[in-house]
Amino acid sequence: MPTLSATARARLPDSSFAYIDSRGRRRLPINDISHVRNALARFDQVDFEDDAARERARERLLRAAKKHGIVPLGFFDGQLRKARGANVRSLPRGTVTFLLTDIEGSTRLLERLGDDYAGLLRDVRTTIRTSVRASSGFEVDARADEFFAVFRRSTHALEAALAIQRALQATTWPQKAEVRVRIGMHTGRPTLTDTGYVGLAVHIAARICYASHGGQILLSSAAHDAFTERLAEGIAFRSLGRYSLHGLAEPEALFQINAAGLTTKFPRPRTIGPLRRRTAREGP
C-alpha cells in the first residue's frame, strides 16, 4: 500500500476517512482502493468512542468498499462479527442455502436522499427481514445495505427472494427513488462456529450476490441443483452460462430466476473473469 504522508493526509477531505472522533481526529483513510483494503483489515483494531460511532464508521467503510468493487467477505464470514451466543446456536447446520442481498447504487441514493436515506434503509431491511422470516429463514447478519440469511430448504430461499423483489418493486419510495436489490443464492455445507458461518460456501454466495444486478435473482449451480421439486407456475430457471468469479479456481454456472411481474432482462453478470461458453437455456 502506498504510504500516505502527513501532508497528503492533511489535504484529504473528511469524506476520505471512515471514522472521525469527537476531537476531530481522523482514522481509517478510505481515499483509494489500497487504503480501503487496509481499513477493512484494521477495523477491529480501532478503539471507537461508542457503538454508534463504530456502526457509522462501518457503514462508511462498506460504502467505500462497494465503490471500489471490493466484496468485504470478512463482514459475512464472521471476522468482524462478535460472538452471538444463542442466535448463532439456533442457525441450521449441514446443507443450507444462503441468500444475500445488496442495494444497488446505495451511495447514489444516499447522496440524493440525504437524511431520508436512513428511513429508506430501515424500510428496505424490514421488508427483507419480514420476507425471510415468513419463508422459514434465519437472519445471519445485516450490515449497512447488505443482508445475509440462511434457509434449510432451497425452495424457502426462493420464496423469500421472490417476495423481496416483488415487495420492493411495489413500494413507493421517498423522492420517487428507485430501489433495487441484488440477490444471490448458493447451496453448500459451511462450518458453523461460535461467531457464525465460515467456509467456501459463504464466499461463493457473496460472489454470486456481487455478480447480480438490481432486481435480479442469481443462483449458483449448486443452488440450482438443490431444487428437486417442480417450480410453481410462472417461475423458471434461465441458464446464463459459466463465469469466472474472483478467488474461485473454477468458473461457476449461473442461473437467473424468471418470474411473472419481475424484470427478466439484465446486462451480463458483474464478474471480473471472461465469459465462458454459454449453455442451452432452460425455461423461458
Side-chain angles (χ1 to χ4, degrees), residues 14 99 166:
D14 287 352
L99 182 152
R166 287 168 172 158

Side-chain angles (χ1 to χ4, degrees), residues 30-46:
I30 51 175
N31 52 297
D32 58 30
I33 189 169
S34 297
H35 284 89
V36 170
R37 292 188 185 279
N38 186 55
L40 286 168
R42 296 178 52 244
F43 189 86
D44 262 5
Q45 301 172 22
V46 175

Side-chain angles (χ1 to χ4, degrees), residues 9 16-19 26-31 35 38-40 42-43 46 48 57 61:
R9 185 185 183 96
S16 294
F17 295 84
Y19 177 48
R26 306 189 299 178
R27 308 286 298 278
L28 297 174
I30 51 175
N31 52 297
H35 284 89
N38 186 55
L40 286 168
R42 296 178 52 244
F43 189 86
V46 175
F48 294 96
L61 179 53

